[in-house]
């Protein structure tokens, strides 16, 4: 079941953090590779609370929060985790967490949701790297409930080998006239990515929103950002230069929240 005592998205302070009584236990039903550094867990929800510490022999519990990477399903949740060579938790999740294992999950945290945005407003989902995961959940929810809603998908990644959900998004763009996508590869592989120009990705280098300004010009559009802080700060700065008000810019940080530069 997906219902917790906490029914509304919110940000918790340390003193308000859920106690062990609020955790629910979920079994990992399936573990599948996505790209070279990403792995899917279609069976558990966001906010994986690793009391995985016993398995990894850590002195302290290492809590981690992961967004859903697809719309919530009646019988499962999916997260997608990028392996960080320097990250003890992500490496353990990739190599040490097994199918069939039961882990404790906390209620959802944060305020990065669609619920606070006018249901009729067109959306720009702007992400980089693993920041794509909450965008995937939002996109699939919109496709299921509001297929006529305009969505502009903008994503940045290093190269094709790290491009998550590529085929799904290409197919979605073909099937839904209200969904459009633009992708930037910062360092495309000169051999493997050459055939994908125009199909897998449309731009080379770092994201410059001016490349697609005409697609983002609707005065009612809301812009959702998720990715590394420098990426979001750059995009936020460009949007402000266009005169977009802060009430139409929404963002989610990977780690601790940071204010965007004015």
């Amino acid at each position: 079941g997906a219902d917790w005592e906490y029914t509304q998205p919110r940000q918790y302070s340390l003193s308000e953090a859920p106690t062990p009584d609020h955790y629910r236990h979920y079994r990992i039903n399936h573990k599948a590779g996505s790209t070279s550094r990403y792995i899917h867990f279609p069976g558990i929800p966001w906010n994986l609370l690793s009391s995985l510490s016993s398995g990894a022999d850590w002195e302290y519990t290492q809590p981690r929060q992961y967004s859903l990477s697809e719309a919530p399903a009646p019988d499962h949740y999916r997260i997608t985790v990028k392996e960080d060579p320097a990250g003890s938790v992500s490496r353990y999740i990739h190599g040490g967490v097994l199918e069939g294992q039961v882990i404790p999950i906390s209620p959802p945290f944060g305020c990065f949701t669609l619920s606070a945005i006018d249901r009729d407003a067109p959306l720009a989902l702007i992400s980089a790297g693993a920041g794509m995961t909450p965008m995937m959940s939002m996109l699939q929810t919109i496709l299921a409930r509001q297929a006529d809603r305009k969505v502009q998908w903008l994503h940045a990644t290093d190269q094709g080998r790290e491009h998550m959900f590529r085929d799904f998004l290409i197919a979605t763009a073909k099937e839904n006239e209200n969904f459009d996508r633009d992708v930037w590869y910062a360092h495309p592989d000169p051999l493997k990515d050459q055939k994908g120009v125009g199909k897998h990705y449309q731009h080379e280098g770092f994201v410059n929103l001016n490349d697609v300004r005409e697609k983002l010009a609707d005065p009612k559009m809301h812009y959702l950002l998720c990715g590394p802080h420098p990426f979001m700060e750059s995009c936020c700065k460009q949007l402000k230069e266009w005169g977009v008000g802060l009430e139409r810019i929404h963002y989610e940080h990977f780690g601790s929240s940071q204010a965007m530069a004015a």
Side-chain angles (χ1 to χ4, degrees), residues 48 63 122 124 178 205 215 250 258:
L48 171 72
N178 294 308
K215 297 182 180 182
H250 316 266
Q258 305 174 56

Side-chain angles (χ1 to χ4, degrees), residues 30-45:
H30 186 54
K31 180 178 177 181
S34 170
T35 67
S36 61
R37 294 177 63 189
Y38 292 88
I39 195 163
H40 297 314
F41 289 84
I44 55 178

